[in-house]
Amino acid sequence: MNSKRCGSQSVIFPTNPKILSTATIVGDVEGQGPIGKHFDLVLEDDTWGEDSWEKAERKMFEHSVRLACNKCNIAPESLDCMLGGDILNQLISANFAARAIKAPFLGLYGACSTMVEAMLIGAMLIDGEYASTVSATACSHFSTAERQYRSPLELGGQRPPTAQRTVTGAGTAILVSDEYQHNNESTHELFNNIVISAGTIGKVIDLGVKDANNLGAAMAPAAADTIQVHLNDFNKTVDDFDLIVTGDLGSLGSELLNELCKEKNIDLKDKHIDCGNTIFSKDQNVDCGGSGCGCCAVTFCGYLIKRLEAGDINNILFVATGVLLSPDTTLQGDTIPSIAHAVVIERRVS
Amino acid sequence: MKKGNQSPEQQAYLEKVKQYEPKSNTFSQCVKAFIVGGLICCLGQLIWDIGNNMFTFTESQNSGFTSIVLIFLGALFTGIGIYDKLGSFAGAGSIVPITGFSNAIVSTAMEHKREGYVLGVSAKMFLIAGPVLVYGISASVVLGIVYFLFGIA
């Protein structure tokens, strides 16, 4: 029993669930960013021809799943399980997209950590032989997030310099078991041998940050905790990874993460990158960088996985962080709890 | 969690956050707010003079006329997507004048149009401007009572 558990919070996946394909759909600001050319579809119009932003967001979710399935020649409705979520109330984007796709579906809410949460659970389902094909998706939209968490778009106010911009984007990764791929020769693999080999389930951490305009600072302690636990559980060091990727800490959160890790005697050196800093450039007027659960989803599915495939890097520790707040808890003066989950994604040389 | 309940670890971290936080440049923002706010007031004066010289309004007619034109301009520039850009540049300079009040109402109404005209536009319209109305009117009532009881002289 428990042979797949490792240390206090980690799991290993001995059968190495594969990432067969990915798909990304982003908004125009993300498309103009430094990694814009890596995305499959850049939307010119942020409503994508729909009559509301919410409808556009669920369409992005749905189409990213369809596109990723299409690329590897798996019918979307034949997926054993669709996993994913977004950051809107009642997970409307994920739920309504699942209504259209009609595959078995588990909705997940991990705020901006949703992508890694979905990949972690997806790998568990496959490794535990409960599923052989799983999609993991996360999706967010600048305009829907602004109205739910902040203020109307046309309101003429100033953002504090610690604020981050929610990424408009949906990213999907299709995970399959080795056996499935073996038995279904019609599947097409977009990536040669990229697997999820291990993961760490995060704990909710709260170091007392109250400012909902400073989410990077709220999330950095959760990321530091999960990184420390992961390294301890596997008895590894930072040197064992080519990159340590965090979700959306932004520039301030990244600095704080570095400091917190130093206190724990972990030197991240130059191995740390943050998706919130990668997806936008400084001159795009985004203050501390990108955020939202689409941020790390599209950065990984569009950009990082291509670097893994190209052999430029061989393995990454992918740590996505999320703030578990609502606008009401902020108004009631609560501090901001946050969480970070991690998966190890590596390229196996066969 | 109340402030007194912070653990030493939390206190140390919050200190660190403060130290690394990028700061707003208050001086340059004040200058921008002063210039833009001043220009909006000059525009108001211009409208006042037009009312005075071209239409020969009485003083109370003219203050209504000036307010209406400014509110219209605030709504117009919100509708065509310029006022939010002005606001992110000027801050309080464009929030405090009456045009900012107009922006707060129109932007919220636009945002909630998709939820319908009754429970969307009209119910949500005062989401941001509401507190200004509630406390503005309350304060005027209190002042009115004081004025009634003691007079100005």
Side-chain angles (χ1 to χ4, degrees):
Chain A
M1 279 295 280
N2 285 339
S3 61
K4 292 178 183 176
R5 280 199 65 87
C6 187
S8 58
Q9 285 168 244
S10 300
V11 290
I12 46 171
F13 306 119
T15 65
N16 291 319
K18 271 177 93 164
I19 300 179
L20 207 56
S21 76
T22 59
T24 48
I25 301 173
V26 298
D28 61 337
V29 182
E30 292 71 20
Q32 290 154 12
I35 56 169
K37 63 176 190 293
H38 294 284
F39 301 124
D40 295 321
L41 185 58
V42 178
L43 304 176
E44 303 266 301
D45 159 26
D46 69 349
T47 56
W48 204 359
E50 298 291 322
D51 51 10
S52 77
W53 294 307
E54 283 78 8
K55 286 182 182 164
E57 181 175 334
R58 72 185 67 136
K59 187 173 173 184
M60 284 163 56
F61 192 112
E62 179 191 339
H63 282 260
S64 77
V65 177
R66 291 193 188 281
L67 187 59
C69 285
N70 224 345
K71 284 188 190 176
C72 59
N73 203 16
I74 291 175
E77 60 279 5
S78 76
L79 286 167
D80 288 339
C81 187
M82 246 178 89
L83 294 169
D86 54 273
I87 51 174
L88 297 187
N89 292 339
Q90 288 80 38
L91 286 186
I92 47 170
S93 306
N95 290 338
F96 282 63
R99 172 179 74 180
I101 292 176
K102 295 188 171 63
F105 167 69
L106 292 172
L108 303 174
Y109 186 81
C112 313
S113 69
T114 303
M115 189 60 190
V116 168
E117 187 179 359
M119 285 164 63
L120 188 59
I121 296 174
M124 286 177 185
L125 287 176
I126 288 172
D127 200 79
E129 296 175 16
Y130 292 103
S132 47
T133 52
V134 170
S135 69
T137 311
C139 174
S140 57
H141 192 299
F142 171 72
S143 304
T144 61
E146 281 299 301
R147 73 187 298 201
Q148 180 175 318
Y149 292 96
R150 291 173 202 104
S151 52
L153 290 183
E154 299 298 337
L155 184 73
Q158 279 178 329
R159 286 174 309 183
T162 53
Q164 291 171 258
R165 184 190 164 94
T166 305
V167 166
T168 301
T172 296
I174 304 290
L175 317 182
V176 301
S177 63
D178 234 8
E179 199 188 342
Y180 176 86
Q181 203 192 359
H182 214 74
N183 297 339
N184 292 270
E185 281 172 359
S186 63
T187 55
H188 175 73
E189 55 176 22
L190 199 66
F191 302 111
N192 203 1
N193 224 347
I194 293 179
V195 302
I196 302 178
S197 60
T200 299
I201 305 169
K203 282 194 288 205
V204 177
I205 304 281
D206 187 342
L207 282 191
V209 175
K210 276 187 180 177
D211 182 1
N213 279 311
N214 193 356
L215 299 182
M219 294 189 289
D225 185 72
T226 300
I227 291 171
Q228 184 188 29
V229 168
H230 183 87
L231 296 178
N232 280 345
D233 282 351
F234 291 97
N235 209 3
K236 283 185 173 170
T237 66
V238 172
D239 294 324
D240 292 315
F241 296 101
D242 289 341
L243 274 184
I244 294 181
V245 181
T246 51
D248 55 353
L249 294 178
S251 50
L252 172 63
S254 300
E255 280 183 70
L256 288 165
L257 174 69
N258 259 306
E259 278 300 306
L260 288 168
C261 284
K262 264 184 206 149
E263 283 173 17
K264 295 173 192 284
N265 286 324
I266 300 166
D267 186 4
L268 294 178
K269 297 172 196 151
D270 49 357
K271 298 225 164 144
H272 170 244
I273 65 163
D274 183 74
C275 299
N277 295 336
T278 309
I279 191 162
F280 294 126
S281 63
K282 283 261 178 250
D283 55 5
Q284 283 183 293
N285 194 18
V286 292
D287 301 304
C288 268
S291 71
C293 60
C295 178
C296 63
V298 298
T299 307
F300 173 73
C301 293
Y303 169 63
L304 290 169
I305 198 164
K306 285 178 190 154
R307 283 187 63 186
L308 279 165
E309 176 71 5
D312 157 29
I313 44 178
N314 288 316
N315 64 359
I316 63 173
L317 179 64
F318 186 18
V319 189
T321 49
V323 283
L324 308 172
L325 55 72
S326 91
D328 290 337
T329 62
T330 307
L331 290 178
Q332 291 172 7
D334 259 311
T335 54
I336 303 172
S338 60
I339 195 161
H341 301 295
V343 285
V344 178
I345 297 159
E346 50 189 288
R347 185 170 56 95
R348 286 285 154 90
V349 188
S350 47
Chain B
M1 230 177 274
K2 297 275 172 294
K3 195 157 189 177
N5 300 343
Q6 282 170 357
S7 68
E9 192 193 4
Q10 286 180 331
Q11 281 171 5
Y13 182 65
L14 292 175
E15 284 296 308
K16 203 187 300 286
V17 172
K18 237 178 232 161
Q19 181 193 334
Y20 280 86
E21 226 167 40
K23 304 281 182 294
S24 306
N25 189 341
T26 313
F27 180 75
S28 81
Q29 281 175 344
C30 285
V31 171
K32 285 178 192 168
F34 178 78
I35 292 171
V36 174
L39 285 174
I40 292 175
C41 293
C42 289
L43 180 68
Q45 185 62 46
L46 182 72
I47 297 165
W48 175 278
D49 288 347
I50 290 172
N52 212 4
N53 299 329
M54 287 178 66
F55 301 107
T56 56
F57 289 135
T58 63
E59 195 169 322
S60 65
Q61 279 176 327
N62 206 8
S63 60
F65 170 73
T66 308
S67 304
I68 290 168
V69 173
L70 282 175
I71 289 171
F72 167 75
L73 289 176
L76 177 72
F77 285 109
T78 303
I80 56 178
I82 292 178
Y83 209 87
D84 62 318
K85 294 186 179 70
L86 180 70
S88 79
F89 172 78
S94 60
I95 293 170
V96 175
I98 200 167
T99 47
F101 186 72
S102 163
N103 168 253
I105 292 185
V106 174
S107 64
T108 335
M110 282 167 66
E111 185 91 10
H112 292 279
K113 184 171 164 256
R114 285 150 187 157
E115 282 83 54
Y117 284 100
V118 178
L119 295 178
V121 174
S122 58
K124 300 278 174 66
M125 192 182 256
F126 296 102
L127 212 58
I128 289 166
V132 181
L133 293 176
V134 170
Y135 293 111
I137 293 168
S138 304
S140 70
V141 169
V142 171
L143 274 180
I145 293 170
V146 171
Y147 181 68
F148 176 74
L149 291 178
F150 303 103
I152 275 196

